[in-house]
Amino acid sequence: MKILDRYGILSAAILGILIFYFGGFNYLIFMFIFLFFGVLATRYGHDIKKDMGLYEHERGVENVLSNGLGPTIFAFFSAQLGPIPFLASVAAALSDTFGSEIGVLGKNQPIFLGNFKKVKPGTSGAISAIGTIASAVGGMIIGALAMLIFNLNPQQAFFVGIAGLIGSFGDTLFGILEEKGIGTKGTTNFICTIIGGVVGIFVR
């Protein structure tokens, strides 16, 4: 299965080199962790998503930058901030990916936060119970693995996951504007990673 188109691969390689340069090998590992679990979430229920017209089998530059630029920025500031904001930014990216890719498979229609009406799955700015649970799981995966790789204590790991969930919720709120023609999926995803990383600054 081809995950990225050629320009997506090129942009991912550039971001990977920058993250390795600014943060080191452990930082780069987490981008591969995000990619691995992101692909799993995308592939999960792919036949159903194809029938719904929501399956993204190949991603390009916009998707790479929207999910990877935020973590790269926090990797750049890791000497001053430490690794937690970077981890929280990655947690936000995975939290949002899980929420989007798994949330569309729920039996109940999601609720659009702009008017609290039911909308079709895949609508930006909408939430569902299964999507919210999936988002929490995505963020907590990063927190749990950070305990192993960065020696975070359980409290720090938990709040990294929470920062990811908050970033994902921020993505949903900005998705309301996206549905009104303000911004794109790429910009809301980028904002998601920035919110997660900023929340991570306050994790001690």
Side-chain angles (χ1 to χ4, degrees):
M1 179 186 67
K2 191 173 182 181
I3 302 169
L4 302 171
D5 63 25
R6 60 178 179 176
Y7 295 110
I9 292 171
L10 177 61
S11 56
I14 293 172
L15 291 184
I17 291 170
L18 291 173
I19 287 172
F20 177 77
Y21 179 78
F22 295 133
F25 184 67
N26 285 350
Y27 282 67
L28 185 60
I29 286 176
F30 270 87
M31 296 311 297
F32 282 110
I33 289 172
F34 164 74
L35 181 62
F36 173 75
F37 282 103
V39 169
L40 287 183
T42 301
R43 289 285 295 168
Y44 181 71
H46 70 280
D47 288 335
I48 299 173
K49 293 174 189 174
K50 283 181 179 178
D51 291 338
M52 298 168 66
L54 297 174
Y55 181 62
E56 295 183 72
H57 68 283
E58 188 175 282
R59 302 173 189 266
V61 174
E62 182 181 19
N63 185 269
V64 171
L65 293 179
S66 63
N67 286 292
L69 188 57
T72 304
I73 291 171
F74 288 106
F76 175 79
F77 288 106
S78 60
Q80 295 78 29
L81 300 175
I84 292 181
F86 165 80
L87 293 168
S89 184
V90 177
L94 190 59
S95 178
D96 180 59
T97 299
F98 267 45
S100 299
E101 295 291 347
I102 299 175
V104 297
L105 301 174
K107 294 182 179 180
N108 297 321
Q109 286 182 286
I111 303 297
F112 183 63
L113 294 183
N115 54 20
F116 297 101
K117 293 182 179 180
K118 292 183 178 181
V119 291
K120 65 179 181 180
T123 302
S124 295
I127 62 171
S128 66
I130 187 174
T132 302
I133 293 171
S135 291
V137 171
M140 292 302 169
I141 286 174
I142 298 299
L145 292 175
M147 291 176 62
L148 299 175
I149 298 175
F150 280 94
N151 295 317
L152 266 59
N153 62 48
Q155 178 176 320
Q156 290 173 322
F158 174 75
F159 282 110
V160 163
I162 293 299
L165 182 60
I166 292 172
S168 179
F169 185 68
D171 176 279
T172 302
L173 292 178
F174 277 92
I176 298 172
L177 298 178
E178 182 188 334
E179 285 296 315
K180 297 180 182 297
I182 303 173
T184 66
K185 183 177 181 180
T187 57
T188 54
N189 286 351
F190 173 68
I191 290 169
C192 166
T193 63
I194 294 299
I195 292 174
V198 169
V199 173
I201 293 173
F202 300 97
V203 176
R204 293 292 182 265

